[in-house]
Structure formats: structure tokens, C-alpha cells
């Protein structure tokens, strides 16, 4: 039986960079988030910018659906990772009004505990199924190679995992470790962006346009094969280049630089950059066709243009307007638990498979027609099942984000009194 989920590993040319997210760990004072930043204050006064909250929620949902169905066109419809990096960059620019060393330490404190909880579960599963880093030939069979396991604690590099573990007949398919570790590329990229932000913001305030466009130029060099950097170093540099423009666009949004550009000029320029991205993609299609995750320069330029337009037209909503108001609780919850959702969704997608397989054992499923129907509906059933599993993960692990932010732990912070009220910045 073949299931329809498509999860990814690291990001380099030809790989899937969304195994991903990402995304919020609340901070002190302004309840800022880490992986997916918490909302900034609305320009009209106090409160939260619900437009940014909404963008973050859409990005997270899109990532989950992408990894479930594997639809390449979703990378064009809404470049989630570029949006998430832009929102994080805007938050980082605001935070750097304080001493930079303290801000970086605060980011680490809020980012790492949720990662440790996830890593503990994954590592226990891998070790319990017989993986030994010292005997893994892909790690050189040395203590130095095995030390890469520390990337599960502080993601400065790519965490190791066995390409195949267990068996196809087990509860999880043999590539589960590869899939589960996939989202960690985003934490690595985020961490390096955070560390580089004091210097990037200093440069942006002095030479804004050069700093803004430099990542696109770097992508044209390292993301097209013009210069090849091997191994995980190359992947890390490529990630930094592809999404660096979006991160700096977050600076531009916070500093008000985007608003200084006439809207018609900003949108026209963004459209030209996006058009170039699609043109480049058309001549460099990857194994999944128009999946921009496989085409670094197209991903960088398309994401850059989309983010410019989204931020140029950004309203300042203190509350979600009209029919969007019905989604207020879910938007609040997803923003407060963005890290948990992002980290766990890949593993939970795989967990839906053995659960659905149990349906074949039901008495009324013995006929060929029933079995055929279930075979055809399995991906849809995975879509229905993933959301309650994510809810369980929020209940089981989400409170760690509150502990990391030095706040009172909450099980279901959706803005309702008792679950984390908006007055508390949830």
C-alpha cells in the first residue's frame, strides 16, 4: 500500500527545504516568537498585528498540506518559508533595539527547549531501533562523526540520521528518520540568521538597497551551480542566500523603508523579479516539475517578490475583520504554538499511516470494493487525521514553548480566557 505524503530533508539544490516551517516561541515583554515570530504591534496603537498573525498561520497550514499531498504548485501559490523568514526578520529588527548579545541569547533560550523535546523523542526512537552513530558508515565510524548528534541539541549544522531504519513492514516506513529530521534545516537557517542579524541590520541601515539585494546576487552564484560548495556547508550557504532577501525585507518592513517606496514602483519591481523567477524555473525544472524548492534562484526571486507585495499592502489589523474573525482562535493558537506545529508535523504525517492501516482489519473492510475505496481515500484520510494529531502534540509538548519564554504554561493558548487570553499577549 502506497501513501501520498511527501516529506523532505535538507535544502540544497534538488532537495525540499520546507520539511518545514516554520515556525512561534513567545518572548518576554512583547510575547515575541522565535521560529515564527509573534505579531508586532499594530501601527494604529497597542495590541497585535493580526494581519501578520494570519500570514503566519497560512504559512504553517500550507507547509503541512504541502508535505501531505506533495503538490508542487503550492510552492508557487504561497512561498511559506519566505514569508516566515520575512516575519522573523521584522521581529528581529525590532528586538535589536536592545543589546544584541542579550537578544541572541534570548532567541536561543526560546528556540532550544522545544527542539530538545522533539530531539529526545526522535533520538530515543532511533537508538531503540538499533542505530549506532559510531557504526554508521555515513558518519565515518568515528567519535568526530558521532559528535554531529549534538546538532540535535544546538542546530549549528545538519543533524545526522540513518537513511533507512527499521523495515517497511514496521509501524513506520524505513525512511522515517530521514523524514522526521527534515524540519530541522529551518532551525539551522534561523539560528544563523539570528547570529548574523546585528551585522545585517547595521549594514541595512547604512546601505539598505545593497544589503537587500545582496542575497539574490549570492543565490545567483551559489544556487545556480556557477560556484559549488560541497556538503552541508553548501546547503547552509544556499539556504542563507535563498531566504536572506526575505529576512532583510523584514528589516525593511520594520524600519519603514518599504513604505517610502511608491506602491506602484514596489509592486512593479516585485512583479519583474517574480517574472524572472518563473522564467528561470521554466528552464531549470527539477524532478517534481514546478516545485520551486528544487530551484534555488527561482525560489529566492519568487519569494522575494511575493513578500514585497504582502508587506507593501500590509494593513494594521488589531482584530481580524469580517468573515476572517471566525478564525481568530485558531490563528491565535497556531501563532502561540508555531514551533510545536512545525517541528512535529512531519513525524505526525507518518504516524497517520499505521493508524489508517488498522481500518483494513475491520470486518466490513474485507470486500475488494471496500479495500479499493480505502486505497484511493487514504491520503484524504491522512488529511483528516493529521489535525487532531497536531492538536495532541500541542497539548503534549506545546507548553514547553511557554516554559522557554518564562511564562505560565498553557495547554491551549487560543486567546480564550483560561487558555491564554489576548490581554496576556497570547
Amino acid at each position: 500500500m502506497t501513501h501520498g505524503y511527501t516529506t523532505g530533508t535538507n535544502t540544497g539544490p534538488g532537495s525540499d527545504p520546507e520539511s518545514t516551517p516554520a515556525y512561534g516561541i513567545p518572548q518576554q515583554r512583547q510575547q515575541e516568537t522565535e521560529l515564527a515570530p509573534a505579531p508586532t504591534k499594530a501601527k494604529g496603537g497597542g495590541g497585535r498585528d493580526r494581519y501578520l498573525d494570519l500570514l503566519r498561520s497560512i504559512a504553517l497550514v500550507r507547509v503541512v498540506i504541502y508535505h501531505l499531498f506533495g503538490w508542487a504548485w503550492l510552492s508557487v501559490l504561497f512561498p511559506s518559508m519566505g514569508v516566515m523568514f520575512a516575519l522573523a526578520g521584522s521581529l528581529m529588527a525590532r528586538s535589536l533595539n536592545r543589546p544584541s548579545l542579550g537578544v541572541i541569547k534570548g532567541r536561543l533560550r526560546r528556540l532550544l527547549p522545544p527542539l530538545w523535546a522533539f530531539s529526545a523523542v526522535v533520538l530515543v526512537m532511533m537508538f531503540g531501533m538499533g542505530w549506532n552513530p559510531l557504526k554508521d558508515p555515513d558518519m565515518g565510524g568515528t567519535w568526530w562523526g558521532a559528535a554531529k548528534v549534538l546538532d540535535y541539541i544546538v542546530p549549528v549544522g545538519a543533524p545526522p540520521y540513518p537513511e533507512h531504519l527499521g523495515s517497511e513492514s514496521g509501524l513506520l516506513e524505513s525512511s522515517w528518520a530521514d523524514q522526521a529530521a527534515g524540519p530541522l534545516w529551518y532551525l539551522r537557517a534561523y539560528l544563523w540568521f539570528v547570529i548574523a542579524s546585528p551585522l545585517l541590520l547595521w549594514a541595512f541601515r547604512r546601505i539598505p538597497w545593497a544589503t537587500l539585494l545582496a542575497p539574490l546576487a549570492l543565490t545567483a552564484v551559489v544556487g545556480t551551480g556557477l560556484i559549488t560548495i560541497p556538503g552541508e556547508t553548501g546547503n547552509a550557504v544556499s539556504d542563507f542566500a535563498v531566504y536572506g532577501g526575505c529576512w532583510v525585507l523584514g528589516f525593511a518592513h520594520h524600519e519603514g523603508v518599504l513604505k517610502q517606496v511608491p506602491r506602484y514602483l514596489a509592486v512593479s519591481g516585485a512583479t519583474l523579479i517574480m517574472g524572472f523567477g518563473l522564467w528561470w524555473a521554466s528552464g531549470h525544472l527539477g524532478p517534481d516539475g514546478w516545485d520551486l524548492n528544487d530551484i534555488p534562484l527561482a525560489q529566492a526571486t519568487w519569494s522575494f517578490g511575493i513578500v514585497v507585495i504582502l508587506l507593501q499592502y500590509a494593513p494594521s489589523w488589531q482584530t481580524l475583520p469580517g468573515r476572517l474573525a471566525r478564525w481568530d482562535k485558531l490563528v491565535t493558537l497556531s501563532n502561540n504554538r508555531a514551533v510545536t506545529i512545525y517541528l512535529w508535523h512531519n513525524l505526525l504525517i507518518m504516524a497517520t499511516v499505521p493508524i489508517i492501516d488498522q481500518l483494513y482489519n475491520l470486518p466490513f473492510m474485507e470486500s475488494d470494493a471496500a479495500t479499493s475505496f480505502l486505497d484511493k481515500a487514504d491520503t484524504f484520510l491522512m488529511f483528516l487525521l493529521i489535525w487532531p494529531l497536531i492538536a495532541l502534540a500541542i497539548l503534549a509538548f506545546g507548553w514547553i514553548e511557554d516554559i522557554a519564554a518564562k511564562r505560565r504554561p498553557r495547554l491551549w493558548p487560543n486567546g480564550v480566557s483560561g487558555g491564554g487570553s489576548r490581554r496576556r499577549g497570547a
Side-chain angles (χ1 to χ4, degrees):
M1 175 178 170
T2 302
H3 296 273
Y5 66 84
T6 57
T7 54
T9 54
N10 215 322
T11 59
S15 61
D16 169 17
E18 295 191 9
S19 303
T20 79
Y23 59 215
I25 298 178
Q27 289 191 349
Q28 290 177 318
R29 300 173 60 183
Q30 298 295 339
Q31 290 285 347
E32 299 167 354
T33 43
E34 286 292 336
L35 186 58
T40 54
K41 288 187 177 181
K43 296 176 184 176
R48 296 169 63 101
D49 191 328
R50 300 300 278 169
Y51 174 73
L52 300 186
D53 281 0
L54 181 63
L55 287 182
R56 192 171 301 110
S57 297
I58 293 172
L60 285 169
V61 171
R62 210 282 283 151
V63 166
V64 175
I65 293 176
Y66 171 85
H67 287 127
L68 185 59
F69 293 102
W71 293 330
W73 54 267
L74 284 173
S75 66
V76 179
L77 178 65
F78 192 82
S80 288
M81 309 315 295
V83 170
M84 291 172 69
F85 277 119
L87 299 179
S90 179
L91 173 64
M92 192 67 186
R94 186 181 71 179
S95 298
L96 284 173
N97 291 327
R98 307 193 300 271
S100 58
L101 183 59
V103 172
I104 293 173
K105 288 181 177 179
R107 289 294 189 277
L108 287 174
R109 190 185 70 243
R110 293 163 178 81
L111 178 68
L112 296 181
L115 169 64
W116 293 340
F118 174 80
S119 297
V121 172
V122 171
L123 287 173
V124 166
M125 290 173 65
M126 289 194 296
F127 293 150
M129 297 178 70
W131 181 55
N132 186 343
L134 286 173
K135 296 181 180 180
D136 190 331
D138 293 333
M139 301 178 65
T142 64
W143 282 101
W144 178 252
K148 294 180 180 179
V149 172
L150 295 176
D151 284 320
Y152 282 99
I153 300 175
V154 181
V156 294
Y161 49 83
E163 293 291 338
H164 298 282
L165 188 64
S167 65
E168 295 297 336
S169 60
L171 288 178
L172 296 174
E173 66 159 297
S174 61
S175 65
W176 74 266
D178 182 1
Q179 311 292 356
L184 300 186
W185 80 268
Y186 181 64
L187 275 71
R188 176 188 67 187
Y190 177 86
L191 177 62
W192 285 114
F193 275 126
V194 165
I195 293 173
S197 281
L199 178 60
L200 286 175
L201 186 58
W202 176 87
F204 177 78
R205 286 171 172 169
R206 285 156 180 78
I207 44 174
W209 297 109
T211 306
L212 186 62
L213 297 176
L216 296 182
L218 180 59
T219 306
V221 174
V222 301
T224 62
L226 187 62
I227 292 179
T228 301
I229 303 175
E232 291 303 329
T233 300
N235 289 334
V237 172
S238 180
D239 295 340
F240 194 91
V242 168
Y243 296 106
C246 294
W247 187 274
V248 180
L249 276 173
F251 291 174
H253 175 66
H254 175 267
E255 299 284 297
V257 173
L258 282 181
K259 293 300 183 183
Q260 296 174 11
V261 180
R263 179 169 290 177
Y264 77 90
L265 186 60
V267 173
S268 299
T271 302
L272 289 174
I273 292 174
M274 293 163 61
F276 170 81
L278 292 182
W279 170 80
W280 180 266
S282 68
H284 300 81
L285 298 180
D288 296 316
W290 282 85
D291 193 331
L292 300 187
N293 296 305
D294 299 330
I295 316 169
L297 184 57
Q299 177 74 286
T301 50
W302 182 259
S303 298
F304 186 94
I306 290 289
V307 168
V308 167
I309 294 173
L310 289 175
L311 295 181
Q312 182 67 228
Y313 281 90
S316 296
W317 292 340
Q318 295 187 33
T319 59
L320 294 176
R323 294 183 178 180
L324 291 175
R326 71 183 66 177
W327 302 101
D328 182 81
K329 295 177 184 178
L330 288 178
V331 168
T332 300
L333 177 66
S334 63
N335 275 265
N336 279 310
R337 292 297 181 256
V339 175
T340 300
I341 295 169
Y342 184 82
L343 278 175
W344 289 92
H345 80 273
N346 259 13
L347 191 58
L348 295 176
I349 287 174
M350 288 180 290
T352 65
V353 176
I355 296 175
I356 294 173
D357 282 346
Q358 299 306 308
L359 296 178
Y360 288 88
N361 298 325
L362 297 175
F364 57 84
M365 293 300 301
E366 294 178 356
S367 68
D368 292 340
T371 301
S372 176
F373 173 79
L374 191 56
D375 286 343
K376 295 177 181 178
D378 67 333
T379 305
F380 178 69
L381 293 175
M382 293 169 69
F383 174 78
L384 294 180
L385 188 56
I386 186 61
W387 308 110
L389 289 181
I390 287 176
L392 289 175
I394 289 173
L395 291 173
F397 302 102
W399 55 271
I400 298 174
E401 298 190 35
D402 294 327
I403 298 295
K406 296 184 176 180
R407 295 190 306 158
R408 177 178 59 84
R410 299 164 297 169
L411 290 178
W412 198 254
N414 64 350
V416 177
S417 179
S421 66
R422 193 171 304 152
R423 286 177 292 127
R424 294 174 56 83

